[in-house]
Amino acid sequence: MAGIKRLFSNDIGIDLGTANTLVTLRDVGVVMSEPSVVAIYNNSKKVVAVGEKAKKMLGKTPGNISAIRPMKLGVIADFEITEIMLRYFIQKASKKFTIVQPRVVIAVPSGITEVERRAVQEAAIHAGAGSVCLKDEPLMAAIGVGLPIEEPAPSMIVDIGGGTTEVAVISLSNVVESRSLRIGGDEFDNCIIQYMKRAYNLYIGEKTAEEIKINIGSAFPLEKELSWEVRGRDAVSGLPKTLYVSSQEIREALSDAFDQITDVIREVTEKISPELSGDLVNRAIVLSGGGALIRNLNLRITDVTHIPCFVAEDPLCAVVNGTGEVLKNYEFWSRENL
């Protein structure tokens, strides 16, 4: 009977990210990738928009509407808004006429507390999930990029999301050593905002900082350095101001954040056994998540750790693809000891 019921429901995998939420359906693949943003009316709390439409309202809403990012540093900052957002994604992904509530796999940062884990689980149940299985992001990323995690030789994954960076060494399908650092794409943006204010007395918003990061951000010298036009508000005159910044400057602005990530990678490699450490040199480090798209970040990591490092083929979908694989064997992966 249970098998028949499954035919009438959609099992859903969710990468509930600080910046973006990705959704996959069992046997279908990724069906949704939208910003983790909800716009609501302040008085009634009625939803105006969720996802892409809501993100376009960030910093531009009238006084009676707020555009909110309910996830901060990889965890729930606003339970009510997160539940609204999850309900939107679950209902949009589910079949129109579903008899059975979907089983849901959600990837969460490995460093969150039990209280934070319960908050995610309860939000998903209230949003319409029949049952919820929470799995650590680095393990999901490793599965999603196709690393041979079941082998005794180590696999190392560094997943850089919007709010957190997850570093893990995995062997025999278990995490041997891991660290969760609350630095990611949002912190990169903040570093750029602070640099522009400090170096040029120029106020810019998150959207502009993100554009700079995407277009000229780099972690290691480029063969041909880049420049980008930046528009903002002069801190002294209060008037609009336009100037150009170089990729060297942005690299300098992001340097401290990159150093913290490489420090954590070294910390993890120092904690594993010499045998695993020796094997790791032959297996390399794999980068996933949106932060992996920063130019030459893999080269900076290799330069510091002396371990080869490369970017996964589809870094943005690594974690959600991992949840999709877990859905194929939900009963096994949902056991508490895994």
Side-chain angles (χ1 to χ4, degrees):
M1 178 65 72
I4 295 175
K5 285 184 178 180
R6 294 264 65 86
L7 296 175
F8 295 95
S9 72
N10 279 340
D11 290 340
I12 300 171
I14 300 176
D15 175 10
L16 185 61
T18 302
N20 295 286
T21 294
L22 288 84
V23 180
T24 187
L25 291 180
R26 187 191 59 181
D27 302 327
V28 176
V30 179
V31 295
M32 204 182 310
S33 175
E34 294 199 39
S36 302
V37 184
V38 179
I40 61 170
Y41 288 108
N42 295 327
N43 294 333
S44 64
K45 302 297 181 181
K46 183 178 178 181
V47 177
V48 180
V50 179
E52 192 64 49
K53 291 181 179 179
K55 184 180 180 180
K56 292 178 180 179
M57 299 180 184
L58 282 171
K60 301 177 181 179
T61 57
N64 64 326
I65 295 175
S66 294
I68 301 168
R69 296 178 61 180
M71 304 293 295
K72 301 291 183 184
L73 301 175
V75 297
I76 292 178
D78 189 314
F79 184 88
E80 183 180 357
I81 301 301
T82 300
E83 184 180 320
I84 290 171
M85 185 174 72
L86 274 172
R87 182 177 292 109
Y88 167 83
F89 289 128
I90 289 173
Q91 290 180 351
K92 188 173 180 180
S94 296
K95 293 174 182 175
K96 188 172 183 181
F97 300 105
T98 181
I99 297 175
V100 181
Q101 291 176 304
R103 299 182 298 186
V104 178
V105 175
I106 301 179
V108 294
S110 59
I112 68 173
T113 65
E114 283 303 314
V115 172
E116 290 167 336
R117 294 178 78 91
R118 283 198 298 272
V120 175
Q121 198 161 23
E122 288 174 10
I125 292 294
H126 292 162
S131 64
V132 182
C133 173
L134 303 184
K135 305 305 294 184
D136 289 347
E137 285 178 0
L139 182 59
M140 294 299 94
I143 294 173
V145 302
L147 290 179
I149 63 168
E150 71 284 349
E151 296 181 3
S155 295
M156 189 169 193
I157 188 83
V158 178
D159 183 68
I160 307 173
T164 60
T165 292
E166 304 285 327
V167 181
V169 173
I170 301 167
S171 178
L172 296 173
S173 299
N174 282 288
V175 175
V176 177
E177 195 71 40
S178 69
R179 293 290 184 276
S180 182
L181 179 68
R182 296 199 170 183
I183 285 180
D186 286 352
E187 180 59 24
F188 296 160
D189 295 344
N190 185 57
C191 288
I192 293 171
I193 290 171
Q194 295 305 317
Y195 177 82
M196 297 304 296
K197 181 180 177 182
R198 183 174 65 251
Y200 294 106
N201 283 324
L202 186 71
Y203 289 128
I204 62 172
E206 293 178 5
K207 184 179 179 181
T208 299
E210 185 180 30
E211 289 176 351
I212 295 170
K213 176 184 68 180
I214 292 171
N215 286 283
I216 64 171
S218 67
F220 207 68
L222 303 172
E223 288 186 12
K224 183 178 180 181
E225 298 293 350
L226 308 170
S227 65
W228 189 254
E229 183 183 76
V230 181
R231 298 176 182 178
R233 187 177 77 243
D234 189 278
V236 178
S237 68
L239 298 174
K241 182 178 179 180
T242 301
L243 53 82
Y244 284 86
V245 294
S246 67
S247 51
Q248 297 102 311
E249 290 178 276
I250 301 307
R251 191 159 57 245
E252 176 188 337
L254 297 172
S255 184
D256 285 346
F258 293 147
D259 286 344
Q260 290 186 62
I261 291 173
T262 54
D263 285 347
V264 168
I265 293 172
R266 285 196 297 189
E267 183 182 338
V268 170
T269 58
E270 289 169 1
K271 291 289 184 179
I272 61 177
S273 69
E275 289 79 10
L276 287 176
S277 185
D279 289 342
L280 196 57
V281 175
N282 298 322
R283 298 297 289 268
I285 299 169
V286 179
L287 287 179
S288 64
L293 298 175
I294 295 284
R295 294 169 182 81
N296 288 352
L297 180 54
N298 62 316
L299 299 183
R300 186 175 186 129
I301 291 172
T302 297
D303 185 65
V304 172
T305 64
H306 306 294
I307 300 173
C309 180
F310 64 90
V311 180
E313 185 176 342
D314 188 4
L316 290 171
C317 291
V319 172
V320 76
N321 285 340
T323 66
E325 291 300 312
V326 168
L327 286 172
K328 295 177 182 178
N329 198 358
Y330 184 89
E331 288 78 10
F332 172 80
W333 284 102
S334 60
R335 284 154 49 184
E336 288 188 5
N337 63 327
L338 293 173

